[in-house]
Amino acid sequence: MSEKDDTPIEIVTALGALPSDVAAILRSARQRIFDAAAGLPDVGPLTETLKWGEPAYLTERPKTGTTIRLGQIGGRAAVMVPCSTTIIEDARAIFGDVPELSGKRGLILGGDAQMLDHIIHAALTYHSRKQL
């Protein structure tokens, strides 16, 4: 699967360096992140960059969301959020202590799309929800 023409070259390179099965899952997660942001008018546009050599997505509008990173946990595709947030903890309260939730920062991908969508939404709105 090829990247969209507007995908920054550093993102294409980072995903291209991963095993093909992991990269495919992360490309799908990347699209879900952009789709979710587009559906949240208070979030605004995203900045796509690299953090620690991994694709990262940040809300451009101040005090809205927190960083979402795409990478691997134990060799498996994962979405990660800052461990200083309560996003993974909150997901455990909703979905239970499932093995896909890793530590305080990650969701190992390949299973429940509803859990992924929840974590993406929670990350994109993290700071704006805390203000309520």
Side-chain angles (χ1 to χ4, degrees), residues 60-117:
E60 291 180 11
R61 188 168 293 157
K63 299 183 181 176
T64 51
T66 192
T67 304
I68 302 170
R69 225 171 3 104
L70 300 178
Q72 297 181 84
I73 295 175
R76 296 178 62 195
V79 169
M80 292 161 283
V81 295
C83 61
S84 59
T85 69
T86 61
I87 294 169
I88 300 300
E89 208 174 288
D90 295 343
R92 273 195 185 90
I94 295 167
F95 298 100
D97 193 14
V98 296
E100 292 87 357
L101 294 170
S102 178
K104 292 184 175 185
R105 87 171 47 217
L107 169 66
I108 297 171
L109 301 175
D112 190 338
Q114 183 181 6
M115 200 173 347
L116 172 59
D117 291 340

Side-chain angles (χ1 to χ4, degrees), residues 15-93:
L15 291 173
L18 297 170
S20 60
D21 58 332
V22 170
I25 293 168
L26 294 180
R27 285 184 185 100
S28 176
R30 175 186 181 269
Q31 189 58 54
R32 287 180 97 94
I33 292 166
F34 280 110
D35 290 348
L40 295 167
D42 294 337
V43 168
L46 298 178
T47 295
E48 184 173 29
T49 189
L50 291 180
K51 283 196 173 204
W52 301 286
E54 297 173 324
Y57 305 85
L58 304 85
T59 56
E60 291 180 11
R61 188 168 293 157
K63 299 183 181 176
T64 51
T66 192
T67 304
I68 302 170
R69 225 171 3 104
L70 300 178
Q72 297 181 84
I73 295 175
R76 296 178 62 195
V79 169
M80 292 161 283
V81 295
C83 61
S84 59
T85 69
T86 61
I87 294 169
I88 300 300
E89 208 174 288
D90 295 343
R92 273 195 185 90

